[in-house]
Amino acid sequence: MIIEGVVTTRNADGGLNIAPMGVQLDEPAGRIVFRPFRSSRTCENLLRTRQAVFHVLDDALLLARALLDRFDTPPATRPAERIDGAVLLDACRWYECVVTDVAGTQPRDRILGRIVHRGRLRDFVGWNRAKHAVVEAAILASRKHLIHLDRIRQQWEWLSPMVEKTGGPEEREAFTLLTQWVFDEPPRSTAD
């Protein structure tokens, strides 16, 4: 099963990279599988540092901002405990991981990790239809360099009413940011 969340990694300059990503999380076994696109900063950082923090969250706006790398102010963090990383303070749960193996084929790597530390910051509030729609829109947006725009537009028209009917201000803002980026800006090839 793939769990959608946000991954933090360290850039070469020591700065923090925050990116949404679906991972295979096997919590009882202490394992995680990352599948980043090879062209992404997250993949580059994972291969260079061999460390990451995966976050489970219920904040659709944070997920959208992470995809677009558009933060008015950087999200609040604290240092990870067992790796050189950062924990997002608005996450529900987090998993500090070290890379144990790398495999894969173009365009994505399969990076296996071992969970070395984990924690819980707060209860998971949950997802409504609008939050689910934002997650699906973010996944589509991250693949706009791979999927024909007409197909994305069709799915967008299906997702939009969910946000309008069940979303709050944060979900609406997230969907608007994603909509503008998908339909107003050229595709980029660094999606995670």
Side-chain angles (χ1 to χ4, degrees):
M1 176 171 64
I2 295 176
I3 305 293
E4 299 295 335
V6 170
V7 175
T8 56
T9 56
R10 287 277 176 218
N11 295 324
D13 66 2
L16 188 63
N17 179 58
I18 305 170
M21 184 182 293
V23 302
Q24 293 173 325
L25 179 64
D26 184 348
E27 194 167 353
R31 290 188 300 247
I32 191 166
V33 178
F34 300 94
R35 298 268 301 144
F37 285 98
R38 284 190 177 174
S39 60
S40 72
R41 191 175 321 136
T42 300
C43 187
E44 177 186 322
N45 290 346
L46 277 166
L47 295 175
R48 183 177 37 74
T49 68
R50 303 188 72 82
Q51 304 176 88
V53 180
F54 176 71
H55 303 82
V56 175
L57 47 85
D58 53 14
D59 184 338
L61 183 56
L62 174 60
L63 185 100
R65 287 189 184 284
L67 173 70
L68 303 176
D69 194 21
R70 289 192 184 156
F71 294 101
D72 298 330
T73 57
T77 63
R78 70 166 173 74
E81 295 182 33
R82 305 247 172 95
I83 66 167
D84 178 21
V87 174
L88 297 171
L89 295 181
D90 195 36
C92 300
R93 295 188 323 270
W94 50 269
Y95 302 86
E96 296 177 23
C97 310
V98 294
V99 172
T100 58
D101 192 32
V102 178
T105 58
Q106 289 284 7
R108 299 172 83 169
D109 272 320
R110 183 172 190 270
I111 300 175
L112 306 176
R114 179 173 47 87
I115 299 167
V116 296
H117 194 59
R118 66 190 90 196
R120 180 184 162 282
L121 296 169
R122 63 180 177 82
D123 289 338
F124 180 78
V125 173
W127 290 87
N128 64 5
R129 292 178 71 209
K131 288 184 182 197
H132 281 289
V134 170
V135 170
E136 291 303 320
I139 292 167
L140 285 168
S142 75
R143 287 158 176 73
K144 79 177 191 174
H145 64 289
L146 300 171
I147 301 172
H148 194 277
L149 193 58
D150 289 339
R151 182 170 170 220
I152 292 175
R153 189 172 281 113
Q154 288 174 342
Q155 293 186 30
W156 220 264
E157 289 173 6
W158 184 75
L159 295 170
S160 182
M162 287 184 243
V163 176
E164 291 169 18
K165 291 178 182 178
T166 68
E170 289 186 350
E171 292 79 24
R172 287 186 184 96
E173 181 180 351
F175 198 75
T176 297
L177 288 171
L178 292 168
T179 300
Q180 291 169 346
W181 188 74
V182 168
F183 298 108
D184 296 342
E185 296 181 22
R188 67 177 183 180
S189 62
T190 59
D192 292 312

